Amino acid sequence: MAYIRLIAPAIDDLNKLFHLDPSVMRKVITKMLILELNTGTGEPLLGDLIGWRKLTVGDRSWRIIWRSTKDESGGQIIEIAQVWAIGARSDSEIYNEMKKRVASAPSSPKTTALFDVLELFGEKVGNIDASPEPE
């Protein structure tokens, strides 16, 4: 099982998406929960975004761009999927934004657990729950 973590701009993307269409935002979160169970889901990206994957949402016009990294802690390997961008596919807008984020990001960006993100949004996400990360 992976632990889904989001960088700050991805959390902002979710907030914008909620204001645009709350039902799509909930579908995006549901897809992230699927990712939590199967980090091999989605399709690999090419070109400047090799090493990243995409998940399509809804009518295939929304994308979640993410990667999976491994972290060694006390001999145990924990898989962390970092969600970097959430947005519309139209005119490759999300991919161009993703390239900018990758180019300007520090080597270890601060991330927030999906559980904590859902708490930030409160009732906006409805009855969607994520598992908290172990201590």
Side-chain angles (χ1 to χ4, degrees):
M1 178 174 182
Y3 302 108
I4 307 301
R5 302 187 64 78
L6 289 83
I7 63 169
I11 297 170
D12 293 341
D13 292 344
L14 271 179
N15 196 33
K16 288 176 193 169
L17 189 54
F18 173 77
H19 287 73
L20 182 66
D21 188 339
S23 67
V24 173
M25 185 261 244
R26 287 189 278 279
K27 289 177 185 175
V28 165
I29 292 171
T30 300
K31 281 282 189 164
M32 282 191 268
L33 292 170
I34 292 169
L35 176 61
E36 190 175 55
L37 299 173
N38 181 4
T39 58
T41 193
E43 299 173 38
L45 294 176
L46 304 172
D48 294 337
L49 296 174
I50 288 178
W52 298 87
R53 298 180 74 83
K54 69 178 177 183
L55 279 174
T56 58
V57 179
D59 60 2
R60 300 188 54 84
S61 59
W62 295 94
R63 299 286 188 266
I64 301 169
I65 309 294
W66 61 278
R67 69 176 174 185
S68 181
T69 59
K70 297 201 185 265
D71 181 21
E72 289 192 44
S73 174
Q76 182 181 19
I77 295 178
I78 299 171
E79 197 160 31
I80 301 171
Q82 296 177 336
V83 179
W84 278 60
I86 301 160
R89 178 181 180 238
S90 60
D91 299 328
S92 300
E93 176 185 341
I94 189 66
Y95 301 110
N96 293 332
E97 176 63 25
M98 185 61 198
K99 289 174 190 176
K100 289 179 196 173
R101 288 183 188 179
V102 169
S104 65
S107 59
S108 294
K110 182 181 179 300
T111 59
T112 304
L114 181 58
F115 178 84
D116 296 326
V117 171
L118 294 182
E119 288 203 342
L120 285 173
F121 283 101
E123 294 179 6
K124 294 178 183 178
V125 295
N127 62 353
I128 300 173
D129 291 319
S131 301
E133 292 183 9
E135 295 279 327

